[in-house]
Amino acid sequence: MKEVIISELGKLVGLKLQYAGRASNLFWLGFGDIVEIIRRGRTEATTEYALHIQCSWRISLGNKIVVASRDFYSPSSEWDGDIEDFDWDIKGNNRFDERIKTFIKDNGQIKVLQIDSNEVGGLNVFLSGGYKLEVFPDSSEDDEQSEHWRFFNRKENSPHFIVTGNGIEKV
């Protein structure tokens, strides 16, 4: 599995990280050139490559975690309400939204330097500036709902490369 992942995601080496964000607790990143695609009858500007992560992950710099998956569930520094009233899924409410916005703004020219992986679908994306994205599947589930992460090319509309509890799928 390790070699297949490194080969597939090796396409990212040298490409710029254009943006990152979330849909609920799915972390998405866009790499490469901005391309126009037609989606649901509308033309959209997006990146050529997308990485969607649905397991634990973190972006670190040296010995410091910059932003990580559990930040979805913590209030932003602007939060001044009661914790019982905190709704993590409202855009802008949580620590992830705050920290990823700052990370992207402060690191506008960040590029992928190297890809590494392991035999259980973990992924390390080494970025310029000393940053590292670590993706680590954290579930033993191995059914059809056990997606850890997926990688795909929007420009070519090719099959998605998906790492699950059952291994690699192309859909």
Side-chain angles (χ1 to χ4, degrees), residues 12-122:
L12 294 177
V13 173
L15 299 183
K16 180 181 172 188
L17 171 63
Q18 297 281 1
Y19 52 70
R22 69 179 178 95
S24 193
N25 63 355
L26 180 146
F27 178 37
W28 46 260
L29 302 102
F31 297 93
D33 293 333
I34 301 294
V35 296
E36 287 191 353
I37 63 167
I38 297 173
R39 184 173 172 206
R40 297 182 183 136
R42 294 190 338 235
T43 301
E44 284 182 23
T46 187
T47 56
E48 183 173 0
Y49 292 99
L51 178 62
H52 289 186
I53 304 169
Q54 292 184 275
C55 62
S56 293
W57 59 269
R58 69 178 165 239
I59 296 175
S60 59
L61 178 61
N63 66 354
K64 176 82 173 135
I65 296 173
V66 176
V67 61
S69 50
R70 293 224 0 228
D71 289 341
F72 290 139
Y73 310 108
S74 297
S76 73
S77 64
E78 306 273 317
W79 180 258
D80 61 0
D82 292 332
I83 198 68
E84 304 86 43
D85 298 329
F86 172 65
D87 184 350
W88 69 270
D89 206 14
I90 295 175
K91 292 282 186 186
N93 246 15
N94 66 44
R95 184 179 299 150
F96 167 85
D97 294 334
E98 177 178 52
R99 295 188 66 88
I100 201 68
K101 181 179 177 182
T102 300
F103 173 74
I104 295 297
K105 186 178 108 212
D106 292 349
N107 296 286
Q109 295 300 312
I110 205 156
K111 290 190 176 185
V112 177
L113 302 178
Q114 181 183 347
I115 300 292
D116 198 8
S117 183
N118 61 40
E119 293 301 333
V120 294

Side-chain angles (χ1 to χ4, degrees), residues 1-16:
M1 180 183 294
K2 176 180 177 173
E3 290 78 18
V4 175
I5 291 171
I6 292 170
S7 175
E8 184 69 21
L9 274 83
K11 298 169 185 172
L12 294 177
V13 173
L15 299 183
K16 180 181 172 188

Side-chain angles (χ1 to χ4, degrees), residues 158-170:
S158 54
H160 291 203
F161 180 89
I162 305 169
V163 173
T164 73
N166 285 326
I168 295 170
E169 298 177 13
K170 289 191 176 185

Side-chain angles (χ1 to χ4, degrees), residues 137-169:
D138 59 351
S139 171
S140 61
E141 292 180 27
D142 58 2
D143 60 16
E144 64 276 355
Q145 303 299 318
S146 67
E147 180 175 322
H148 301 304
W149 57 269
R150 73 173 52 208
F151 174 69
F152 54 101
N153 182 322
R154 289 185 169 120
K155 183 178 176 182
E156 296 176 3
N157 198 23
S158 54
H160 291 203
F161 180 89
I162 305 169
V163 173
T164 73
N166 285 326
I168 295 170
E169 298 177 13

